[in-house]
Amino acid sequence: MSIDPRHTYKPSWRKPVGMFAILGLIALWAVLVGSLSGLIGGLPMVVQVVIYVFLGLVWIWVLPLKRLLAWMETGRWRSF
């Protein structure tokens, strides 16, 4: 007799909380970068592209998305 996995799985509250946290971080980062648009907008187009690409990469490296995702999956802030 096999056990139906739908009855043994208990959804974690961390995933919905983590999703809302990610949305909040995205909104906060967008407001921060958008507030710099007045300064960045006066620069040459090529420099603007470099700055916005850099700021987009900072979003990945600096903000704690990797740890937040690990917490959502495991309940620990470190995945190892």
Side-chain angles (χ1 to χ4, degrees):
M1 180 175 182
S2 65
I3 299 173
D4 188 0
R6 291 178 290 167
H7 296 295
T8 59
Y9 176 73
K10 182 179 178 188
S12 171
W13 59 270
R14 290 186 309 268
K15 289 188 180 185
V17 169
M19 287 187 293
F20 284 117
I22 289 171
L23 290 174
L25 288 171
I26 290 171
L28 182 66
W29 190 249
V31 168
L32 179 68
V33 171
S35 68
L36 298 174
S37 67
L39 297 170
I40 298 170
L43 299 172
M45 183 62 72
V46 174
V47 177
Q48 289 182 37
V49 169
V50 170
I51 290 172
Y52 283 121
V53 167
F54 174 76
L55 290 172
L57 292 174
V58 167
W59 161 254
I60 296 169
W61 291 327
V62 173
L63 295 177
L65 287 182
K66 185 176 181 180
R67 289 188 179 207
L68 181 59
L69 291 171
W71 174 78
M72 287 168 61
E73 288 294 323
T74 64
R76 297 180 312 224
W77 287 104
R78 292 185 180 180
S79 57
F80 46 86

